[in-house]
Amino acid sequence: MNTIHYNEEHYARAKKKVERIKGFYRHLVVYLCINMIITSVHAVHALRDGLSFIDAIWNLQTFFNWAPWGIGLLIHGIVVLDAPSLFMGKNWEDRKIKELLEKDRKNSSMNWE
């Protein structure tokens, strides 16, 4: 059986990252629950005032409840989930340099033939 031994520093760093990710997911759940409750309360009051269901849900007050906190949540997610690395990754520069060098090598070898 293969056992993997981790450096304590690496383990502590990974554990801290997992805690940050868990905190983001907690933030997301609270955001959804609280805003759905607030939206429901606004919708019930709007329906009592005679508005249609669609007008009750899609009003400006509902937008102003979701939007600012949503922007904060988005920023939290980008920071915690390290969104730029999802697209470019840690090895992106190395892979891109190798790709360009290979492309250049092929082009220059074609010129010599």
Side-chain angles (χ1 to χ4, degrees):
M1 178 199 285
N2 290 340
T3 59
I4 300 174
H5 299 283
Y6 294 103
N7 181 335
E8 286 183 33
E9 181 183 337
H10 291 154
Y11 179 80
R13 202 174 2 192
K15 185 172 179 163
K16 186 176 180 180
K17 182 162 178 126
V18 167
E19 289 297 322
R20 290 175 60 206
I21 292 170
K22 195 165 80 171
F24 168 72
Y25 286 135
R26 228 181 273 125
H27 186 181
L28 177 63
V29 168
V30 169
Y31 168 79
L32 292 172
C33 291
I34 297 295
N35 278 302
M36 288 186 341
I37 290 168
I38 291 171
T39 300
S40 298
V41 169
H42 286 300
V44 167
H45 287 302
L47 288 170
R48 285 187 189 160
D49 293 341
L51 291 174
S52 70
F53 180 75
I54 297 297
D55 291 336
I57 296 294
W58 293 106
N59 66 25
L60 199 55
Q61 188 176 14
T62 302
F63 171 76
F64 282 125
N65 287 326
W66 288 81
W69 191 358
I71 292 168
L73 182 65
L74 177 66
I75 292 168
H76 186 181
I78 288 170
V79 169
V80 168
L81 300 175
D82 199 18
S85 73
L86 293 175
F87 300 106
M88 293 189 177
K90 301 267 186 219
N91 301 331
W92 177 81
E93 281 186 35
D94 293 334
R95 286 193 318 256
K96 195 64 177 173
I97 289 169
K98 287 178 186 176
E99 176 188 323
L100 292 172
L101 287 172
E102 184 64 25
K103 189 183 222 182
D104 189 45
R105 186 186 64 79
K106 286 181 182 177
N107 286 339
S108 65
S109 68
M110 292 174 67
N111 291 338
W112 289 99
E113 291 177 0

